Amino acid sequence: MELRHLRYFQMVAAERSFTRAAERLHIAQPPLSRQIRQLEEELGAELLVRGSRPLELTEAGRLLYEHAVQVLDRVDDIHWSLRALGGSRRTVYPIGLVGSILYGSLPRVLRRFRASRPDLDVRLIEMTTLEQLPALRDHRIAIGFGRLSFQEPGIVQRVLHDEPLVVAVSGDSPLAAGTGPVPLAALVGETLLVYPRKPRPSYADQVLALFRDRGLLPNAVVEAGELQTALGLVACGVGLCLVPDSASGSRGDLIYRPIAEPGITSPIIVSTRAGDDNEATTALLAMVTE
């Protein structure tokens, strides 16, 4: 399997048509069909339901499409990063972070850090806490900001802040009426939206544990890819979602209610390599602490 096979398949799957995919790829349709057939023969599975209009993906096709998108996006990221590195005279300083912490005070700190270090090419890379740990070990990032605690050899984690969680509901939800704190037990009757879908464990498991530790079981759980998707589903009336308080202003069409019970929080955690004496990391940690 070569990258071109994945690119060809991704285009056919996205367009649901060999003709339109061939036009976008600037190749003739017969060679494109042969490439997809070769891919199916190598994998030993039919990827497309031929004869359907528009083309439909088989179960194997849907699985491959999901992985192909991730692989090709990662290849594009690598290509961009290496090109940028080749054209930069500054030292690259990569920072891993989860998207949900960008609603709080960290962006202000990072702006200050960027301004104080013109010698560094500071790059922010969105990744889950679980993804940050191998990235730190492999020196793909210099420091990570996440929300989950792990016991990992060679990695040091420190809790910076325990951020309260609030429940986001649509305007027509019964929970939208009122302004006071909502008991956690009052949430179990509605569908709970959690994110991210993967990799796990993640913030989703952290939220589910808050219910489980209190002997509560949500009526139904729906997984979303990321925070904004979950909030969009809440706005559509699919259910409710627990989000960090700092994210409560990200959508004006939702209602945010505090939780009555104490301890309904999510930590902001900084992760570094044990024994790392990188001067830039020391400076950034000092700013974060301040």
Side-chain angles (χ1 to χ4, degrees):
M1 185 191 304
E2 299 180 14
L3 287 177
R4 61 184 169 84
H5 289 116
L6 292 181
R7 294 194 187 279
Y8 290 166
F9 172 72
Q10 181 191 31
M11 187 63 70
V12 171
E15 293 293 332
R16 295 293 196 270
S17 165
F18 277 104
T19 301
R20 290 196 299 271
E23 290 174 354
R24 291 192 59 185
L25 291 166
H26 304 293
I27 62 175
Q29 183 175 332
L32 176 60
S33 298
R34 285 196 297 272
Q35 294 288 337
I36 300 301
R37 182 61 74 184
Q38 289 174 6
L39 183 59
E40 289 178 318
E41 291 173 355
E42 179 178 349
L43 297 174
E46 294 284 337
L47 302 174
L48 301 166
V49 181
R50 288 171 172 77
S52 59
R53 294 293 182 273
L55 282 175
E56 295 181 4
L57 298 177
T58 64
E59 183 177 354
R62 288 192 294 271
L63 178 62
L64 179 62
Y65 180 71
E66 180 178 338
H67 286 290
V69 169
Q70 296 177 25
V71 169
L72 294 173
D73 283 349
R74 184 63 179 149
V75 169
D76 289 342
D77 287 344
I78 293 171
H79 181 71
W80 179 88
S81 297
L82 290 176
R83 284 177 60 88
L85 180 62
S88 175
R89 296 181 180 179
R90 296 181 297 167
T91 300
V92 175
Y93 188 83
I95 300 173
L97 46 81
V98 297
S100 65
I101 66 174
L102 291 177
Y103 297 95
S105 59
L106 186 62
R108 191 163 59 248
V109 177
L110 294 178
R111 285 198 304 271
R112 180 183 167 196
F113 178 67
R114 279 174 176 269
S116 69
R117 297 302 301 257
D119 58 313
L120 297 181
D121 181 3
V122 180
R123 298 182 183 177
L124 307 181
I125 306 170
E126 185 176 4
M127 55 176 60
T128 67
T129 312
L130 187 61
E131 293 169 330
Q132 290 174 25
L133 304 183
L136 277 167
R137 287 197 303 269
D138 299 341
H139 290 255
R140 287 183 283 118
I141 61 174
I143 190 171
F145 295 92
R147 290 192 177 274
L148 294 180
S149 176
F150 294 95
Q151 295 295 324
E152 191 74 16
I155 303 297
V156 177
Q157 290 190 307
R158 178 160 60 96
V159 175
L160 300 174
H161 173 58
D162 282 310
E163 184 174 8
L165 301 185
V166 296
V167 58
V169 299
S170 61
D172 56 3
S173 167
L175 294 172
T179 57
V182 179
L184 201 64
L187 311 184
V188 298
E190 295 196 39
T191 298
L192 176 67
L193 290 151
V194 297
Y195 64 91
R197 183 177 294 110
K198 56 185 179 180
R200 306 292 281 270
S202 69
Y203 174 76
D205 301 286
Q206 193 177 76
V207 168
L208 293 173
L210 292 173
F211 286 88
R212 185 175 59 251
D213 292 347
R214 290 160 178 80
L216 301 174
L217 182 65
N219 180 53
V221 176
V222 173
E223 296 179 336
E226 47 93 27
L227 170 61
Q228 287 303 320
T229 303
L231 292 178
L233 293 173
V234 172
C236 292
V238 175
L240 53 81
C241 184
L242 287 179
V243 301
D245 182 52
S246 59
S248 60
S250 58
R251 285 192 68 113
D253 54 346
L254 298 180
I255 306 298
Y256 300 90
R257 300 280 303 277
I259 305 298
E261 288 87 346
I264 306 299
T265 61
S266 176
I268 296 177
I269 297 174
V270 60
S271 302
T272 55
R273 286 183 290 273
D276 189 356
D277 58 356
N278 185 298
E279 182 269 334
T281 299
T282 301
L284 177 55
L285 286 174
M287 288 186 181
V288 169
T289 302
E290 180 185 341

